Structure formats: structure tokens, C-alpha cells
Amino acid sequence: MSGETPNPGKQSASNKALAAHLLMRSPGPMINDSYEPENLKMDEIRFYRANEKPYGAFSNLYRRPVEFEGELFPTAEHAYQAGKARKPEVRRWLMAAPTPALLAMAAHGLYVWDIAPNWSKIKFERMKGVLRAKFSQHEDLRELLLSTGSARLVESATVNNAVNRLWGEVNGVGQNKLGQLLMEVRDELRAELDSTDAQTVKRGPQRVVSKSKKSRPSASKCHATVEATEA
């Protein structure tokens, strides 16, 4: 062991040089030269509370009217839970809940004899129908859903119970049925949009042919119309 007194300044410079050398040798993540921050695609989008922006709109508690089966409901949750009650009076009681959250709580707490006998068989189909209505009837919501691309949509709940693990996930565990149905609706809406675009391209620009020369307005009349419009 050398008896030379260590030089703190010299050691600091040496450590910095070593760190820089290791950093240069480290392969690090692969970087695409064409990468731009705005082109970043999310692989997974989590949502839960209706007041979260922007994806809180994916929650069934989000306040946006939904017309379903000929009836107008305040939220998707109302439209979904309206099919759960066996008796009309129980249905009216559910619909009278002061908030969507209280409606959901009341519906989850129904006695077995108050629930429609085939509910377990039809509830997922009904939920998908409600989601289709919600995102078809509101252009801004449809655009938001389509803007998620191919990202996995997950309702990420905070309270660990059977209902939350069925419709979403809690700490990464759950069936995420709501997220799955949203992704199915997203795919269907995109397919419809692509089909419409394809038909428009196939038809091409429509040419309007006048049946009679007399029906064509004169150049002076057209000019006068433009001036009147611009005025």
C-alpha cells in the first residue's frame, strides 16, 4: 500500500472520467432516428374516475345522455342497470338514485330475487350495446375512443372486490371486461369508418349534369350571388 497522500481533486476528476467512459460504452435503449414525441404511442391506457381527463369519459359514470332501447338515460350506467331489475318498481327505485355512483352501488346490492333471472347471461351483451350507443351518438366520444389506436384499455379500480375485478383490474389483477368491450366497440367503429371511406373513394367525385341549358344560371347571376354571400 502506497504512503502517498490521496488528492481529493484528482480522485474527483478520475471518477468523472470513468463515469463518462462507462456511459459511452453503455448500449442504452435503441433510438429511432425518426422518433418525435408527438408520435409516441401508448400501449396501455388506464381509467377509472369519471372526472379524470381525458379518459374519464370511458367510465360508465361519465355524465353523457345515452339513448338505448327507445329510452334516454343520463349515463351509460343508468342504461346498463335499467336491465338488471326484475320488477318495474325496483327499476324505478334504481333510476331515482341521486348520482351514477349511488345507482351502481344500489344495483350491486340487489337481492337475488330482485334481479332479472337471465341477467348473468345477457349482462355483457347489454353492456356492449350500451357502449355502442354511447360512442356512436356522441362524435367527440367516438373520436376520443378511436384516438387510442390499438392501446389496451383498462379500468383500473382502487377497491379490491369481485365487481371491480370483473369489470376492471385491481393492482393488475382482474378480467377487465369493460376494457375488453370498449376495445371491441373501438374496432367495430373503426371498421365502419374504414368501410365508409372505401365506399367514398370507390364512388369518386360525383359529376352533376344539367338536364337543360335553361337551368344553368348566367355568369352575371353567379357573380352577384358570390358578392351577396361575401357581403
Side-chain angles (χ1 to χ4, degrees):
M1 189 172 181
S2 173
E4 182 181 356
T5 304
N7 186 330
K10 187 176 181 180
Q11 284 186 338
S12 177
S14 176
N15 290 340
K16 289 181 180 179
L18 177 61
H21 175 69
L22 293 176
L23 184 60
M24 293 178 63
R25 288 175 60 91
S26 174
M30 296 297 293
I31 297 177
N32 186 344
D33 292 338
S34 62
Y35 169 81
E36 294 181 5
E38 58 269 23
N39 293 333
L40 182 64
K41 295 183 179 179
M42 292 174 286
D43 295 328
E44 185 174 270
I45 294 174
R46 292 181 170 268
F47 63 93
Y48 184 55
R49 301 188 184 282
N51 60 355
E52 296 173 349
K53 295 182 181 298
Y55 300 114
F58 294 162
S59 168
N60 286 337
L61 307 186
Y62 185 73
R63 292 182 181 271
R64 188 64 70 90
V66 177
E67 185 176 351
F68 186 70
E69 296 183 340
E71 187 174 353
L72 188 63
F73 297 93
T75 68
E77 188 70 19
H78 285 78
Y80 169 72
Q81 299 293 3
K84 187 174 184 177
R86 180 196 294 258
K87 300 176 181 179
E89 55 269 27
V90 176
R91 185 182 190 272
R92 287 193 295 269
W93 175 72
L94 289 175
M95 296 298 102
T99 67
L102 290 176
L103 161 65
M105 292 175 61
H108 295 327
L110 289 180
Y111 291 113
V112 175
W113 53 83
D114 285 329
I115 300 175
N118 61 341
W119 182 243
S120 61
K121 297 179 181 179
I122 67 169
K123 63 182 182 180
F124 297 123
E125 181 181 353
R126 183 178 181 87
M127 178 64 82
K128 184 174 180 178
V130 169
L131 294 175
R132 281 274 308 182
K134 174 181 176 179
F135 289 95
S136 298
Q137 294 167 14
H138 301 283
E139 184 177 356
D140 58 331
L141 298 186
R142 181 172 64 251
E143 290 179 355
L144 178 64
L145 182 60
L146 293 176
S147 72
T148 61
S150 60
R152 180 172 180 260
L153 305 180
V154 184
E155 184 182 47
S156 184
T158 55
V159 178
N160 191 0
N161 57 42
V163 173
N164 286 342
R165 291 194 304 273
L166 171 65
W167 291 108
E169 292 182 358
V170 181
N171 297 325
V173 178
Q175 298 183 53
N176 189 38
K177 286 294 186 180
L178 180 59
Q180 291 177 9
L181 293 175
L182 281 168
M183 289 185 282
E184 289 180 14
V185 170
R186 178 182 65 189
D187 292 342
E188 292 175 4
L189 292 176
R190 181 176 292 117
E192 292 175 2
L193 184 62
D194 292 343
S195 177
T196 302
D197 291 344
Q199 291 177 8
T200 301
V201 172
K202 185 177 181 180
R203 286 197 301 266
Q206 300 299 307
R207 183 180 179 184
V208 179
V209 180
S210 175
K211 294 181 180 179
S212 172
K213 292 183 179 179
K214 293 182 179 180
S215 63
R216 296 181 181 178
S218 64
S220 59
K221 288 184 178 180
C222 290
H223 182 68
T225 302
V226 172
E227 287 185 339
T229 304
E230 291 179 347

